[in-house]
Structure formats: structure tokens, C-alpha cells
Amino acid sequence: MFIGRERELNSLEKLYASDKFEFAVIYGKRRVGKTALINHFIRNKKAIYFMGVESNDKQNLENFSKNILEYGVGIQADTAFLSFQAALEYVFQLAEKERLILAIDEYPYVARSSRSLASTLQLLIDKYKENSKLMLILCGSSMSYMEDHVLAYKAPLYGRRTAQMKMQPFDFADACRYFKNFSDEDKALIYGIVGGTPQYLLQMDDKLSIEENIKNTFLNPTSSLFEEPENLLKQEVREPALYNAIITAIATGSARMAEISTKVGAETSVCAAYLKNLLALGLVQKETPYGEKASRKSIYAIDDNMFRFWYRFVPENYSIISRGASDIAYKRMEPHLSDYMGKVFEEICKQYLWKLLLKGQSPVEFGELGRWWGTDPFTHSQTEIDIMGEQDKNTALFGECKWTNERVDTGVLETLAKRGQLFHYGKIYLVLFAKRGFTKGCVDMANRMGNVMLVSYDDLVNSML
């Protein structure tokens, strides 16, 4: 089942239609759907598809040769080209007369085993590009490798690409396209549990309840998702134990460097090095209060819902789950799900605001959105704002998101209005998001104020889906 990726497909089709040499780089986290995108794109087109394996140069060359010969001759053969240069030159020559796609998937595996591959590609691109009809696609899951050895200024292939795509997980709206039978509330819960990664979305069954889905996957020792985060870490890092401890610390509430260091029992300098790698892998994000470039108030958060959910609930229940007691594990998790969903709802609300902006319907034309936290000078207490976005030095938007079963009352609106006064904007616009809607008193107050938008979750879903 292939869903979404219309923008990426359109970009690839435009490159293909040029009928001249094109070189696209596609990269992104594992399981995000890169291979599915490529296979969908090359359907019914003349194409050679080759996936690199984590092996030696000889094995990859043999596999590559078989893919080329199967295309060029139409038969499976055991013959191999003498070198990658000979194999690639043959492909470039094939593409002198007809449009041909060469897609090398998991390029980092091939390039690491054949150190001269990038320079060879550079040589052949420069030799053939003027008269070639080849569309070359290099794809990889190791984002740091693709950025450092393919896209970076010092990389041999720098300046040769004609397009690059960093594939991201689906947003909430696209993730919901996988499910027809879930209620709107359950769609938010599923997005909170597995995020927008296609491979994980496919593990969810919309004919079952949320509880049954969680039990069948995260609380089932035989499920692929049960060991997924640890297996992915083992593929990416050499010492997964401390990485596991750091991610678990963040998932269970330790957000600042000092807190993480204390929780895992490691020096701050050691944690900083490990966090740098987790940032590069796209598993953790570093946040600063909105409008502050660098700050001692910086905090860390897990940047992938599946990882966040897994590390929040599975490690502490590992022994119970391993013994097959999924019912007991779920009963321990269930009271905390609403609190867990708070951050997920904030992200969905941000996506809603971005869609309003792109439609030209946002009351404030912000350039970015983020959270703010700091000290209230009037009360001398710590406070935070869920969503903040600035149009200019005079105009800003402030938002509050409530994933609770009670209707939001006037007190929440009054508090948000006061927090907006902590800044020196002449024009402010307030947006309240609520899972269950608003009391009549809150609606009346919003109407009197005039600078307030009230968005229930039902309205949000109807607008986005």
C-alpha cells in the first residue's frame, strides 16, 4: 500500500521528464519509506535498481553486475564486471540513446566497501553528463554519511546533484490516510504511538481498539516493534547501552543536560557527545525557548513518536511483558496515556497552524513556531507557552493546547492572555486548542476579546483531514 509522497513523486517526475542527465539524492531515517518511493516511481519505466548490502566490495559488485546484466541482456548471469567503474560506464553508455534510471539504494553500504566509488561516479558524471539521458538516484538511511560524503562541500560528488530530498515521516494528516475505521480521537492516539513512519503505521490495525493494537505490538515479545528501537540503535551506534539509558532518561522526564547526566550516571561531557550523535540520527531534538538562539535553558526531547512511546513505557515493564502479561502491563500504562498525549497534541496543533498559514488563513503570518519557557517577572515562578510564533517585532501568536476530557474554561484563556503580556508586542493573537471543546463562558469571553481563536479537536480534524 503506497500512500502520500505526492510532492516527492512530482519532483522526481519533473526530473525524469527533462530527458537529460539528472542526479537526485534521497535520504532519511530508516523505515521512512525511501525504498517504497523509489520503487513506486520507477514502475513502468526503464530502470536498474540496486540495493547495497553491508558486505565487502566483491559481493556488492557481483550483485550490481547481475542487476545491470538482467536489464541489458534480459537474463540472469553469473558474470560480473571487473570493477565498479566498468559497470557504471556500461550503464552510462546504455543511457546515451534512451532514458534510463539507475537507482542505488543504501548507497553508504556500497561506498564504505568501495572507497573509490564516489570518485568514480564523479569522473563518469563529468565525462557523460552533457550527452547522457541517465537519471541517477543515490539513496541512503545513514543521514550523517549522506550529508558528509555526498552533499557536503568537500565530498567528491558535491555540485553534481540536480536535486536532493530529505524524507521526513508523515505528518498527522497523511498518517491518518492509512486508517478508515479509527475514530478521530483514536487517530491522534495512533499518531502519538507510532508517529508518521510508514513501516510502523502498517503495523497498526484499524479494525482493533487502541488497547489491542498496543498489546499486539509494544507489549508482545514476538512483535517486530517490541525490539525495533534497540535493533535500530544497534545498526547505528557502537555502544547502544548508554544510548538506551540516555533516551530512556529523556522519555521519562529528564530534559536538561544535568538531569540526563545524573539519571544515567555519566559525566556531562560524555552525555553531550552521545546526545550529539542522537541529534544527528534524528532521534533527539534540542529545543531552546522561542526567540533565543543559544540558551542555558536548552532542553532535549525525543523527536520520534515511536521511540518516545517505546522508551516511555516498555523498559519499565520489560519483565512483565517478557512473561506474556500484556494485560498487566497495559493497566500500568493506561493511566499515563493522556499525559503522554499532551506533547503529541501540541505537535498536531502546530501542524494545523502551518496548514492555515499555507492556505493564507492564519491571523498571524509567522515565520516559525516553537515553545517558550522562562521566569514570569510578576510571579517569579517558572511558566511556559505551548506555541508561539512571531510575524514581526510588533505582532505575535500565542497558543495553548489541552488534551483533557474537560471543556476548557475561562481560566485557561485568562492565563494565556497574561503570558502574552510577558512580551512587548503591540498586537497579539491567542489560539486555544481543546480536545473536548470549550465552556460557554470561555466562548463568550473569546468573542468579547476579539483576538482569540478557539479550535476544538473535532474542528481541527475536519479542517486537516
Side-chain angles (χ1 to χ4, degrees):
M1 179 169 60
F2 187 85
I3 289 174
R5 304 299 185 199
E6 287 87 359
R7 186 170 61 181
E8 290 88 347
L9 281 171
N10 287 338
S11 297
L12 290 172
E13 291 291 354
K14 285 180 181 178
L15 295 175
Y16 183 80
S18 75
D19 209 36
K20 63 181 182 180
F21 176 77
E22 301 285 1
F23 173 19
V25 178
I26 301 174
Y27 66 115
K29 290 189 290 189
R30 297 184 190 279
R31 316 287 196 257
V32 82
K34 303 179 296 298
T35 300
L37 171 69
I38 293 171
N39 285 329
H40 190 78
F41 168 66
I42 65 177
R43 274 189 327 175
N44 304 319
K45 295 182 176 73
K46 292 183 178 180
I48 299 170
Y49 173 84
F50 164 58
M51 176 174 281
V53 294
E54 203 167 6
S55 183
N56 60 18
D57 180 55
K58 182 175 182 293
Q59 181 67 62
N60 275 308
L61 179 57
E62 286 178 359
N63 293 344
F64 188 36
S65 299
K66 288 178 181 179
N67 293 143
I68 295 171
L69 293 172
E70 188 173 352
Y71 171 82
V73 184
I75 59 170
Q76 292 186 346
D78 292 329
T79 307
F81 287 93
L82 295 176
S83 66
F84 269 104
Q85 180 166 343
L88 288 164
E89 189 138 23
Y90 179 77
V91 174
F92 271 90
Q93 289 170 355
L94 282 175
E96 284 183 316
K97 297 179 181 179
E98 63 179 10
R99 192 51 155 169
L100 175 63
I101 301 167
L102 171 61
I104 302 179
D105 203 347
E106 292 302 351
Y107 170 77
Y109 288 157
V110 192
R112 286 191 184 111
S113 66
S114 177
R115 297 303 176 93
S116 63
L117 180 59
S119 297
T120 299
L121 276 169
Q122 174 193 2
L123 172 73
L124 294 175
I125 290 170
D126 292 346
K127 178 180 177 180
Y128 287 99
K129 65 181 179 181
E130 296 303 325
N131 300 310
S132 177
K133 294 186 177 185
L134 182 69
M135 181 173 177
L136 173 64
I137 299 174
L138 297 187
C139 177
S141 298
S142 175
M143 293 194 290
S144 58
Y145 189 95
M146 297 298 286
E147 289 169 348
D148 294 342
H149 297 277
V150 179
L151 301 174
Y153 177 74
K154 293 183 180 180
L157 292 171
Y158 179 80
R160 274 79 183 172
R161 73 182 184 275
T162 56
Q164 72 280 324
M165 299 177 190
K166 184 177 182 180
M167 286 185 62
Q168 302 288 356
F170 287 132
D171 63 10
F172 173 63
D174 277 337
C176 288
R177 293 167 66 180
Y178 278 81
F179 310 112
K180 296 179 181 178
N181 298 316
F182 280 134
S183 68
D184 289 342
E185 185 174 328
D186 283 352
K187 288 175 182 175
L189 287 165
I190 287 293
Y191 183 69
I193 292 166
V194 294
T197 301
Q199 189 67 33
Y200 306 147
L201 289 164
L202 289 171
Q203 306 302 310
M204 300 293 111
D205 186 345
D206 63 359
K207 295 181 177 63
L208 303 177
S209 67
I210 296 297
E211 178 179 347
E212 289 171 312
N213 272 290
I214 292 174
K215 288 179 179 178
N216 288 345
T217 52
F218 293 93
L219 307 185
N220 176 8
T222 66
S223 162
S224 62
L225 280 183
F226 180 68
E227 294 183 341
E228 175 74 356
E230 290 184 325
N231 287 338
L232 282 180
L233 268 185
K234 288 174 184 175
Q235 292 182 48
E236 300 288 356
V237 301
R238 294 178 181 176
E239 301 171 16
L242 186 52
Y243 284 102
N244 270 318
I246 289 172
I247 299 173
T248 302
I250 297 171
T252 53
S254 300
R256 301 181 188 278
M257 180 70 78
E259 296 170 347
I260 297 168
S261 176
T262 301
K263 187 71 174 286
V264 303
E267 294 291 330
T268 301
S269 58
V270 174
C271 287
Y274 279 68
L275 281 166
K276 184 179 179 182
N277 290 336
L278 289 171
L279 289 166
L281 290 171
L283 297 178
V284 167
Q285 62 175 329
K286 185 178 182 180
E287 292 183 277
T288 54
Y290 185 92
E292 299 183 26
K293 298 290 183 183
S295 171
R296 290 183 178 180
K297 295 185 286 185
S298 295
I299 61 173
Y300 294 89
I302 297 176
D303 198 26
D304 180 284
N305 283 350
M306 191 279 289
F307 268 73
R308 181 169 168 256
F309 184 85
W310 193 95
Y311 280 97
R312 170 64 182 84
F313 295 113
V314 172
E316 66 181 28
N317 292 297
Y318 203 93
S319 297
I320 295 173
I321 299 167
S322 297
R323 289 178 177 272
S326 60
D327 289 341
I328 297 174
Y330 185 80
K331 284 179 182 178
R332 292 180 62 174
M333 292 169 50
E334 200 272 337
H336 304 286
L337 284 177
S338 182
D339 180 62
Y340 169 85
M341 282 296 297
K343 296 297 181 190
V344 178
F345 188 44
E346 285 180 24
E347 178 57 34
I348 293 172
C349 294
K350 285 179 187 175
Q351 293 177 17
Y352 170 83
L353 290 172
W354 277 110
K355 287 186 181 293
L356 280 190
L357 180 73
L358 296 176
K359 291 177 182 176
Q361 298 173 357
S362 175
V364 173
E365 295 182 354
F366 52 84
E368 60 179 334
L369 293 174
R371 286 198 301 142
W372 181 89
W373 59 94
T375 303
D376 185 330
F378 303 109
T379 63
H380 304 290
S381 61
Q382 289 295 305
T383 189
E384 69 175 64
I385 298 170
D386 291 342
I387 300 175
M388 180 176 172
E390 182 184 88
Q391 177 174 312
D392 51 46
K393 296 300 180 183
N394 191 53
T395 310
L397 172 151
F398 299 94
E400 183 76 13
C401 312
K402 293 294 183 184
W403 187 261
T404 62
N405 289 325
E406 296 78 35
R407 292 181 181 273
V408 169
D409 203 357
T410 55
V412 177
L413 180 52
E414 290 170 348
T415 300
L416 181 60
K418 287 178 182 177
R419 289 174 182 170
Q421 296 303 320
L422 298 175
F423 303 85
H424 303 288
Y425 297 106
K427 298 178 181 178
I428 64 172
Y429 204 91
L430 308 177
V431 186
L432 282 188
F433 295 93
K435 176 184 176 183
R436 290 285 181 256
F438 308 89
T439 64
K440 184 178 185 302
C442 188
V443 173
D444 291 342
M445 178 181 284
N447 289 334
R448 288 196 302 272
M449 292 173 68
N451 65 330
V452 181
M453 180 190 298
L454 302 180
V455 185
S456 69
Y457 177 65
D458 286 344
D459 291 339
L460 180 152
V461 169
N462 289 334
S463 173
M464 293 182 72
L465 305 187

